[in-house]
Amino acid sequence: MFNKIYNEMEINTMSPLIWAYIGDSVYEIFIREKMIEKGIPNNTKLHIETIKYVKAHAQSEILKMLTDFLTEYEHTIVKRGRNANSNTIPKHADVIEYKNATAFEGLIGYLFLTGKYERILEILNYVYENYNVESKKQ
């Protein structure tokens, strides 16, 4: 699964939407694992709790929360992700939230594709420890 690490030149020729494609999966697996660790007893409750972290609104809020946590270079990756042109129209988020969510997923995907797994864990553990889903709109 983790056998291909792309160099900077390879990954920078990819669309940031490709980064977001893989980043979405990496982030969702991380959150799903955290929900299992919490001991949530069934799939329905697991899904409900997971959605609180992975929906576009939450990811947009998370990206704002990460402003001071990210490096300057990571901010350039986020900017590229936010500016990526997607033909998808969000169903459950406004356009700004959707672009921010794509930027967050793009950052995680970029780090994954470049093999920066420790940094991914630093960011995602920070998110999990500091994002309060209970105080956010559902």
Side-chain angles (χ1 to χ4, degrees):
M1 180 162 123
F2 303 121
N3 62 344
K4 174 69 173 161
I5 294 176
Y6 295 84
N7 65 44
E8 297 276 328
M9 191 171 77
E10 289 174 307
I11 197 165
N12 284 317
T13 62
M14 294 178 188
S15 165
L17 296 176
I18 293 174
W19 308 343
Y21 172 77
I22 194 74
D24 175 56
S25 297
V26 171
Y27 179 57
E28 183 141 354
I29 287 170
F30 176 86
I31 294 299
R32 285 179 180 217
E33 184 177 37
K34 290 295 186 186
M35 295 304 107
I36 290 168
E37 286 175 11
K38 285 175 82 170
I40 297 173
N42 66 55
N43 285 350
T44 301
K45 289 182 181 177
L46 283 167
H47 177 73
I48 290 167
E49 291 303 307
T50 298
I51 291 300
K52 291 177 183 178
Y53 288 90
V54 302
K55 63 186 176 181
H57 174 76
Q59 290 181 0
S60 179
E61 292 289 316
I62 287 165
L63 185 63
K64 292 174 193 171
M65 182 183 81
L66 287 172
T67 298
D68 294 333
F69 193 77
L70 300 180
T71 67
E72 187 175 326
Y73 187 69
E74 289 166 346
H75 279 288
T76 64
I77 295 164
V78 165
K79 187 174 182 178
R80 283 187 64 190
R82 187 181 294 119
N83 292 338
N85 284 330
S86 172
N87 294 327
T88 305
I89 299 170
K91 294 178 187 173
H92 302 291
D94 64 42
V95 174
I96 300 297
E97 285 179 340
Y98 186 76
K99 285 186 168 284
N100 285 337
T102 301
F104 172 70
E105 292 170 348
L107 171 64
I108 300 305
Y110 186 97
L111 294 172
F112 178 82
L113 292 169
T114 55
K116 295 179 175 82
Y117 309 130
E118 286 183 28
R119 182 59 177 154
I120 293 170
L121 288 174
E122 286 175 12
I123 291 169
L124 296 185
N125 281 316
Y126 178 84
V127 165
Y128 187 73
E129 292 165 8
N130 293 286
Y131 182 69
N132 183 358
V133 296
E134 303 309 321
S135 69
K136 306 300 178 189
K137 73 177 186 180
Q138 301 300 319

